Amino acid sequence: MDATVSGVGVAEVEYSREPGTVRTQFDQAKTPASMAVIATLAEVMDTDPVELSPLHSTVDPEALDALVQVRNWTTGDTHITFVHEGHEIRVHSYGVITIMPQATNHQQSDPSKARENDF
C-alpha cells in the first residue's frame, strides 16, 4: 500500500496501540531516510515539516542517509536511534522508521524490550 506523509511517499503507515507512536516504511531507492524521518515526525506532531527544528541539530542527515542506505537482507540490519523534537526515532536499514514520544520510552519497566514488538 502506498501512502503519503507530509508530502513524502512511504510504502506503509502503522499506528501503534501506544498513543503517538507511528511506524512507517519507506522506499530507500526513492526517498532518503532523513526526508522520511522529517515527514513522519511532522505527521506525528501534526505540523508542517518546515516548522520542525532542523534535523541536523540532532543528527547528520547525510550520515543517516548513508547508514541506512539500501541493503540486501543478507547483510543484516543496521539501525540508529536518536531523540529529536521530544520523540525517540529509530531508523532501520530495511526502510522502517518508528517514532514514539520520548516520555513513553521512560515509562517502560524493561527498557531492553523494543517498542516495535507492539506492532
Side-chain angles (χ1 to χ4, degrees):
M1 162 176 38
D2 287 336
T4 301
V5 291
S6 299
V8 174
V10 295
E12 187 175 346
V13 178
E14 295 179 33
Y15 294 88
S16 172
R17 291 172 275 183
E18 297 295 323
T21 301
V22 173
R23 181 177 176 181
T24 59
Q25 184 170 354
F26 65 100
D27 183 346
Q28 301 121 300
K30 295 179 182 177
T31 306
S34 57
M35 184 180 289
V37 164
I38 289 298
T40 304
L41 184 58
E43 183 78 13
V44 167
M45 295 179 68
D46 193 28
T47 191
D48 191 305
V50 299
E51 299 297 320
L52 298 174
S53 298
L55 190 58
H56 65 80
S57 66
T58 303
V59 67
D60 181 341
E62 291 177 9
L64 174 64
D65 295 341
L67 181 67
V68 297
Q69 66 187 343
V70 177
R71 299 183 189 282
N72 65 39
W73 289 95
T74 61
T75 59
D77 176 35
T78 300
H79 67 272
I80 182 171
T81 302
F82 58 94
V83 175
H84 188 70
E85 290 281 353
H87 290 77
E88 182 176 302
I89 301 168
R90 179 172 289 169
V91 185
H92 291 270
S93 60
Y94 52 84
V96 171
I97 298 169
T98 302
I99 297 179
M100 67 185 108
Q102 187 176 12
T104 300
N105 191 40
H106 293 297
Q107 294 171 357
Q108 270 184 258
S109 59
D110 183 357
S112 66
K113 293 181 181 176
R115 300 298 307 195
E116 293 170 31
N117 292 335
D118 291 344
F119 292 98

